[in-house]
Structures are given as C-alpha cells and as structure tokens.
Amino acid sequence: MVSALGLTAALGGCGPAGDSGDVTLKLVAADYGDSAANSSQKYWDKLVKEYEGKHPGVQVDVTVYSWNDVDAKVKAMVDAGEAPDLAQIGAYADYAAKDLLYKADDLLSIPVQADFPGQLADAGQVNGVQYGMPFAASTRLLFYNKALFEDAGITPPTTWEELAEDAEALKADGVKYPYALPLGAEEAQAETMQWLLSGGGGYTDANLGTYGLDSPQNVATFDWLKDDLVGKGLTGPVAPGKLNRADAFAAFASGDVGMLNGHPSLMKIAAKKGVEFGMVPMPGIDGKSKISMGVADWMMAFKQNGHAEQVGEFLNFVYSEKNVLAFSREYELLPVTDSASAVMSTAKQDADLKPFLEELPFSELYPVSKTSWASVSADIKKRIGQAVTSGTSPATVLDQLQTTAVREENADE
C-alpha cells in the first residue's frame, strides 16, 4: 500500500510564470468494495477519466484506502502540512472546527447544494454552516434467515418480547447465533445506537443536544439486552464484545445466524452464499421502532492548496444525478441527493433498496457535527461490550461513557 505521506498535494498553477497553469487536485477516498474487482478506485478512475476529458486544464489524482486506514491517512497528511484538496472519509467536524475546510457554499452550485436531503445537509453543519457534504448513506433493517425461521415455526418480530421469543425458538432448533449482537470494536457504535433508538433513547438528549448516554431509557435498553438476550444464551458462542460486524455478517451468509441488524451491503453478501432472507424494521419495546439509525459518510474540501474553483466544479460533477446513482448502485448504498433517491424509489432495478430508502427520512444519524464524536465513538467501541457482560452493571458502563463524552465535549469548547 502506498503511503499517503508520500503523496503530497500537487500545486499546479501555483508555480513560477511560464507554467502551463494546469491544476492537479488530490482526493483521498475510502474503499467501499469488498475485493479488487469492485474497489472504489475503479469507480473513481472511470469518473475522473470522464471529468478530465471535459476539463483539459484539471487533473484529479485519487488514492483509495480501506476504511481501516483512510481516516488515519488523511489525519497524517493534514498534520504533516500536506492536506489533500478533497477527502472522502467518516468525519469532518474536527477539521471544520480548526478552520481547515471550505464551506459548502463556497464550492457547490445552488441546485447541487439544495439537492441534499435536509437531514443530511443539517448533519454536515457546524454552528449552522455546512462543511461536510454527504457522500454515501445507509439505514439499518432487521435481517432474518427465512429457512431457519420456517424450520422453527416463527415469524419476524415486531417487539423486543417477540424478538426474544424468536431467539429462544431458534436456539432450541440448534441455531448457532439466534440473534447476532456485534458489540466488538469494529462497529459497536452502530449496533449500540440502533438498540438505543429502539428503546426510546439515543446518544444525545433530543431537547438539549448534549450527550445523554446514561439516560434511564439507555440503561433500561442495556439491562434488557444483558438479561433477556445475552444472559439467556441467545446471542451465540462469541461474547458480543468480541463479535465484530464483519464476522456477524459472514456468519449470517453462512446460515449460522437467525437474525441481526444489517445495512444494504448484507443483501449482496447473503445472496452470494444462497441464503434466503427477509428484512423488517427494527423491533421496539411495544412495536416497530419509530426511529431507525442512519449513517452518512462525508466529503470535505481543504483550503490549504486553494483551488476552490476547480474543486467546486469537480464536486458539482461528482454530485450529478448520474454519478450519484452509479455509486449507490455499485455499492448497494442509499443516494445522498433527492434527485437520485427519486429515481431509485421507482426503478425496478433498485427495488431491493426501497425498504432502506423508506427508512431514511425517519432515521437519526450519529452526532457527527460534534467535534468530540470521533473520540466518543472510539470509547463506545472500546467499552460498550462490557455492558452486557456477566457481573457488570450496564448503568456503570454507560455512566463511564457519559463522563468521558462530557469531558471530551467540554474540551472542544
């Protein structure tokens, strides 16, 4: 893998008189593919080739890294004074708080900026100004294995009580993971948020906007998970705190999981292995959860190298309906523009994504506008598995997480 630090942003057009005046934009992006065959590098190479053909004075140099590395690569480049022109990664707020980013208003045409759904545009704001431009989105649904459910004589759950009853029936039928609960370090913050929302809570106080990890609703949710699922042996042989999302998805595709929360990419993974599955909204305490979890990844533009005009023109191309649709369809993700969503909601080829699209307007995103969120999320990944461990109090773990979150938030003020 090429080191990001060896890829300094080119400053074409900023050299001495007599230079051609051409500009090279440097973009660092995350890889959404699961193999070399569908690496995001291929998507970007095709898009850039088309763009450069229409803009002979601009070159776009794209480097793609895995999600395990990309955030750290960009941070290292910024810390070394070699910020890329553009970065497509998981969080933007810390860079915005340091005044390193262009405002979306400085870059995008009015029609393009207005095409972002309101909740995604709002999530890209810090102090009422949009810096983060949504690039990919997804929601979560409860996936279930149709064959295992049929064998156990059960139907998809709509409440927590029904979910536990279904898990009991699956366990009695010898299913390895009746309900897979991935609270391991890879993506524990996602599974946690889905459960907190279904229990009427969440990461933040809805009225105050401050962290509320230790709320009574959140404590009650984790008490139930610990006592009614994990404590009764309904989450499989691997402790939730040791189970990563990718491993849970792989187990589902192998036919070893009765049900789990999944995003759109799980459809392709399961279908490849011949697993017939169904999808329903996440159950809540008394019925389907009123709010689902939404996730967005972000595009941002650094000011260090200038090039606002060229960056803006390129981004307007990136966010065209055609290109947003192409990316979303390639990686089974939800489009981040209203125009592309309107096409996908009626196109036959996108019918499998429709249930996820329908959830997006009612979803809640991570508190990504908080500059403290990156460190709070890392703390959740590290600790939350302990909340369902025998001999541990969920209230104690959530209180510790809240204490850390408040400290991080105050440090950023």
Side-chain angles (χ1 to χ4, degrees):
M1 184 174 287
V2 180
S3 166
L5 293 178
L7 297 167
T8 58
L11 298 177
C14 299
D19 279 3
S20 67
D22 288 353
V23 167
T24 298
L25 302 178
K26 171 66 186 174
L27 166 61
V28 176
D31 195 353
Y32 290 84
D34 56 13
S35 67
N38 70 342
S39 167
S40 293
Q41 189 72 54
K42 290 192 172 184
Y43 168 82
W44 284 111
D45 287 349
K46 182 179 179 182
L47 183 148
V48 164
K49 183 178 181 181
E50 182 181 352
Y51 183 78
E52 290 178 347
K54 298 175 180 177
H55 299 80
V58 179
Q59 287 187 307
V60 185
D61 176 14
V62 182
T63 307
V64 170
Y65 293 106
S66 78
W67 273 109
N68 293 330
D69 302 319
V70 68
D71 290 283
K73 293 287 187 183
V74 171
K75 183 178 185 303
M77 295 173 77
V78 172
D79 289 348
E82 299 173 347
D85 296 281
L86 291 154
Q88 187 271 298
I89 52 178
Y92 68 87
D94 49 345
Y95 297 122
K98 295 173 184 174
D99 195 30
L100 299 177
L101 302 181
Y102 284 113
K103 302 172 185 176
D105 287 346
D106 296 334
L107 305 170
L108 301 176
S109 70
I110 291 174
V112 167
Q113 199 170 356
D115 205 17
F116 295 134
Q119 71 190 122
L120 295 181
D122 290 347
Q125 295 180 1
V126 173
N127 297 324
V129 178
Q130 185 177 358
Y131 297 93
M133 292 160 277
F135 184 76
S138 71
T139 53
R140 301 292 195 269
L141 292 172
L142 184 74
F143 283 67
Y144 64 96
N145 184 308
K146 285 186 173 181
L148 296 180
F149 266 59
E150 187 176 337
D151 289 345
I154 55 178
T155 56
T158 59
T159 66
W160 286 3
E161 183 179 0
E162 290 175 2
L163 187 148
E165 290 172 353
D166 284 351
E168 289 275 13
L170 291 163
K171 181 183 179 183
D173 223 26
V175 175
K176 191 173 181 181
Y177 294 89
Y179 178 86
L181 183 67
L183 296 178
E186 179 194 1
E187 205 184 37
Q189 84 285 1
E191 183 74 12
T192 298
M193 184 171 174
Q194 184 69 69
W195 277 101
L196 296 184
L197 291 172
S198 72
Y203 284 137
T204 57
D205 184 295
N207 297 316
L208 302 176
T210 54
Y211 287 110
L213 285 100
D214 60 348
S215 71
Q217 296 94 327
N218 291 349
V219 172
T221 294
F222 267 85
D223 281 340
W224 187 87
L225 283 172
K226 182 186 175 193
D227 297 337
D228 290 67
L229 280 189
V230 181
K232 294 182 178 178
L234 302 178
T235 54
V238 179
K242 302 290 186 182
L243 182 64
N244 282 328
R245 188 264 311 160
D247 296 329
F249 279 16
F252 185 82
S254 297
D256 291 331
V257 175
M259 49 187 161
L260 82 171
N261 284 317
H263 50 64
S265 68
L266 181 55
M267 294 188 296
K268 186 179 290 186
I269 296 169
K272 276 184 181 177
K273 293 291 188 75
V275 172
E276 289 194 30
F277 58 88
M279 302 177 297
V280 294
M282 176 67 179
I285 299 174
D286 301 314
K288 87 166 193 175
S289 180
K290 295 179 178 63
I291 304 175
S292 66
M293 188 193 73
V295 177
D297 300 323
W298 302 95
M299 178 74 77
M300 63 213 70
F302 289 90
K303 296 191 291 185
Q304 178 181 323
N305 303 320
H307 303 157
E309 181 181 350
Q310 293 85 0
V311 168
E313 289 179 352
F314 178 65
L315 287 177
N316 286 328
F317 179 74
V318 168
Y319 283 105
S320 67
E321 181 183 297
K322 180 188 78 168
N323 287 326
V324 172
L325 281 171
F327 180 83
S328 302
R329 286 168 170 164
E330 175 65 31
Y331 298 107
E332 296 277 356
L333 291 164
L334 304 184
V336 294
T337 61
D338 288 329
S339 58
S341 293
V343 173
M344 290 187 79
S345 65
T346 56
K348 286 185 178 179
Q349 73 183 96
D350 303 311
D352 55 352
L353 283 172
K354 192 170 182 180
F356 295 95
L357 277 168
E358 290 172 347
E359 289 289 305
L360 189 58
F362 308 104
S363 65
E364 182 173 316
L365 279 69
Y366 298 131
V368 289
S369 62
K370 291 180 176 293
T371 56
S372 56
W373 170 241
S375 56
V376 171
S377 175
D379 199 35
I380 291 168
K381 291 179 183 181
K382 180 180 177 181
R383 298 178 189 236
I384 197 63
Q386 300 167 14
V388 294
T389 303
S390 177
T392 305
S393 162
T396 299
V397 175
L398 290 169
D399 181 64
Q400 292 169 344
L401 287 167
Q402 174 69 7
T403 299
T404 302
V406 171
R407 184 173 65 243
E408 292 289 344
E409 188 166 32
N410 290 339
D412 288 328
E413 290 180 355

